[in-house]
Amino acid sequence: MSTPGPSAAPIPLHIVGEPPAPPAPDVIGTSAGPGRRPGPAVRLGVVDWAALGVEPRWKDQETGDCAAVLSPVLGPATGLEPYKRYAAGARQRGETALVVACTGAGDRKHNVFSGTVAPGIHLPDHYGSISANPLPAGVSPELADGLDHAEHDLGTRLLNRPPDTWFRLTYRKESGSSRPGVARMWPPPGEGELRPILVDGLGDPVSGVWIPAGGGARWFVVPHGTDQRLLVEWLVQHALPAYVPSALTRARSTLVRDPAFATDAEARLVETIAEEQRAHERRQTELQQQLGALRAVADPLRDGLLFGTGRPLEDAVHDVLVAAGAVVTRLDDVYGTKSADLLAEYGGRRVLVEVKSASNRPPHSLPDKLLKHLNTWPGLTGTKPVDGGVLVVNHQIKLQPTQRDAEVYTDRAFADALTVPVIGSARLFDWWRREDWDAVRHAVFGDTGVAQAPEIAVPDADPKASGRPSLLSRLRR
């Protein structure tokens, strides 16, 4: 026999503003067409409060026992009785005063100091205000760092269902004058912090949470036009459990339960879930560290192969050949400009590697530079014979890699007449990122007929990784 769950009471929320007008009566005969009944009136912003488990408290209704304040248009008037009663009730119960305030609605003003300013939010007591400067259309906010679970969820919801306009938020503390002849403010101005939840491309907050010094309150500031249902759902499901769980306890909400009354089985399962969450967070941290290590190695090589010129491009080609198992000598360090850039050795074959770049399509004279080095190589001191050479070219650098020609030389007659292989550095990049070392070796050394000997790789951070040497392992060699 199943037992019913706890009977939950609606959670009281103070909604700043007038209650919505009741729907117009459905009167027969008032529609446009004869014999037709009028359709139901459509009202914007209508919220099914009961379905959300909320009891809205409007103007002239008791707010002292409310769990939070929602101000859909402007910040709550902190000097008026509804907010004062709410704040007094939260303070008496030892609860955090929780406010969600929308900003930016109404007429905008312009001055030479602040530019265009939309209506902002006045904070309680002497903590100052949060101003709102409209941002250009097309701003794409992103989540700030260091968010807790509830802040992260709110930021994600705002990203998924954003208003049409974003505002740069600025916390302006109320200043107490210390000039002679000017009365000092009493009590003195308060201190607080506006922590960003969403930031624009310049790192300025477009949504955030204001917290006074010493805590006791959290004001979440979001742009006007944000869907009320979204905000109410977030308040009930995430903000109240995180910041005001006692309000849910009073309502006997199933979203929160006092651990003191849990059964042993419930407590064990709760601890198991918490440990699973901690293990997941540890694993995620490890994976992020592995990703960071890979990117630290791969970023300069990727940038060098796709956009590099001169020494950075040579270094990137050097690292790819080493990752493919070749022994590579930097000839510039030995012979200067008298020889090619690199000497690569693999499977008993030795080749000179000349590395060049071109802003647009490469000139036909580039292969001649490699041929010149092949001709002068025997006359250099201490050299051994080579089996040929290869030209690597980073071409059409001014274009994005996806817009460049696949081949270095698109003139088929000229390309077919070449006596040395020519490889685009973008193609070398593609083999490198897929760890296709056979393709790299075949393009540079030809068919050596030698299978690569097994390598001893640097151990991966993941103990479950296969024994195959990873890209990071090869680049560390």
Side-chain angles (χ1 to χ4, degrees):
M1 177 179 178
S2 61
T3 57
S7 57
I11 301 168
L13 293 182
H14 174 40
I15 314 298
V16 178
E18 300 286 345
D26 187 4
V27 180
I28 299 177
T30 58
S31 59
R36 295 184 180 178
R37 298 177 60 85
V42 177
R43 292 181 295 145
L44 297 177
V46 175
V47 177
D48 188 346
W49 303 102
L52 296 173
V54 165
E55 177 193 350
R57 300 281 181 86
W58 306 94
K59 179 183 176 181
D60 299 328
Q61 292 181 313
E62 172 61 286
T63 58
D65 61 342
C66 285
V69 173
L70 171 62
S71 184
V73 179
L74 296 172
T78 58
L80 298 183
E81 194 65 18
Y83 178 80
K84 291 167 66 175
R85 288 190 64 82
Y86 163 71
R91 186 166 53 250
Q92 184 182 61
R93 295 186 297 271
E95 294 177 352
T96 297
L98 189 59
V99 176
V100 177
C102 298
T103 188
D107 295 334
R108 303 177 182 183
K109 299 179 180 179
H110 179 82
N111 61 58
V112 295
F113 301 103
S114 303
T116 303
V117 180
I121 294 172
H122 292 283
L123 298 169
D125 300 325
H126 297 279
Y127 283 102
S129 62
I130 297 174
S131 66
N133 293 80
L135 290 173
V139 170
S140 298
E142 58 185 25
L143 291 168
D145 296 328
L147 302 180
D148 65 25
H149 172 76
E151 294 166 348
H152 186 278
D153 188 87
L154 175 60
T156 302
R157 288 169 183 252
L158 293 175
L159 286 177
N160 290 339
R161 301 162 69 178
D164 295 333
T165 305
W166 292 100
F167 301 88
R168 183 181 73 250
L169 305 179
T170 304
Y171 174 37
R172 302 186 182 279
K173 301 177 183 179
E174 196 166 295
S175 59
S177 177
S178 58
R179 291 178 296 153
V182 177
R184 291 179 179 271
M185 177 185 295
W186 187 260
E191 296 290 332
E193 175 190 13
L194 177 63
R195 288 170 33 189
I197 293 177
L198 293 178
V199 295
D200 65 8
L202 301 179
D204 294 321
V206 298
S207 176
V209 54
W210 175 79
I211 304 175
R218 284 177 180 261
W219 282 53
F220 289 88
V221 184
V222 301
H224 77 88
T226 304
D227 181 52
Q228 286 189 52
R229 180 182 178 87
L230 177 151
L231 295 175
V232 174
E233 286 179 344
W234 174 77
L235 269 171
V236 173
Q237 298 173 9
H238 297 278
L240 291 178
Y243 310 123
V244 198
S246 55
L248 298 177
T249 301
R250 293 199 308 275
R252 299 183 67 187
S253 171
T254 57
L255 293 172
V256 65
R257 292 180 173 86
D258 192 333
F261 303 116
T263 65
D264 288 347
E266 287 176 312
R268 286 193 299 269
L269 191 54
V270 167
E271 178 56 32
T272 299
I273 293 172
E275 178 54 36
E276 290 285 343
Q277 180 66 29
R278 289 190 292 268
H280 169 73
E281 292 172 355
R282 288 194 297 268
R283 178 58 177 160
Q284 191 172 50
T285 299
E286 292 171 0
L287 293 174
Q288 289 291 346
Q289 290 172 347
Q290 291 179 39
L291 180 60
L294 279 172
R295 285 175 172 170
V297 174
D299 281 346
L301 200 152
R302 177 169 35 236
D303 186 72
L305 289 174
L306 296 179
F307 303 100
T309 62
R311 186 60 183 252
L313 177 58
E314 294 173 19
D315 290 342
V317 174
H318 169 279
D319 290 347
V320 170
L321 297 178
V322 170
V327 176
V328 185
T329 303
R330 300 179 188 272
L331 296 179
D332 287 347
D333 298 340
V334 180
Y335 300 108
T337 59
K338 296 180 181 179
S339 182
D341 297 306
L342 305 170
L343 173 65
E345 303 177 66
Y346 178 81
R349 295 180 64 85
R350 307 170 76 247
V351 298
L352 296 181
V353 181
E354 181 73 358
V355 182
K356 294 294 182 182
S357 61
S359 297
N360 298 302
R361 286 191 170 91
H364 287 184
S365 60
L366 290 185
D368 294 338
K369 299 181 183 299
L370 174 61
L371 293 173
K372 177 182 176 181
H373 291 315
L374 288 171
N375 290 331
T376 59
W377 175 257
L380 297 177
T381 304
T383 61
K384 297 180 181 180
V386 295
D387 299 291
V390 61
L391 176 64
V392 178
V393 183
N394 188 12
H395 63 294
Q396 296 175 297
I397 297 177
K398 290 184 177 181
L399 299 178
Q400 288 297 320
T402 55
Q403 298 175 332
R404 300 174 190 175
D405 294 331
E407 301 293 338
V408 176
Y409 292 111
T410 56
D411 182 345
R412 292 314 314 163
F414 177 80
D416 292 341
L418 289 171
T419 58
V420 291
V422 178
I423 307 171
S425 63
R427 176 159 291 180
L428 202 62
F429 163 76
D430 194 52
W431 292 329
W432 164 74
R433 73 181 180 88
R434 292 186 284 111
E435 302 184 44
D436 190 350
W437 312 121
D438 288 337
V440 174
R441 291 190 290 265
H442 187 270
V444 175
F445 300 101
D447 186 8
T448 62
V450 178
Q452 186 178 14
E455 299 181 47
I456 300 176
V458 177
D460 288 298
D462 184 359
K464 297 180 180 179
S466 67
R468 180 188 179 193
S470 67
L471 173 60
L472 178 59
S473 303
R474 291 171 178 269
L475 292 180
R476 282 175 172 167
R477 294 181 58 201

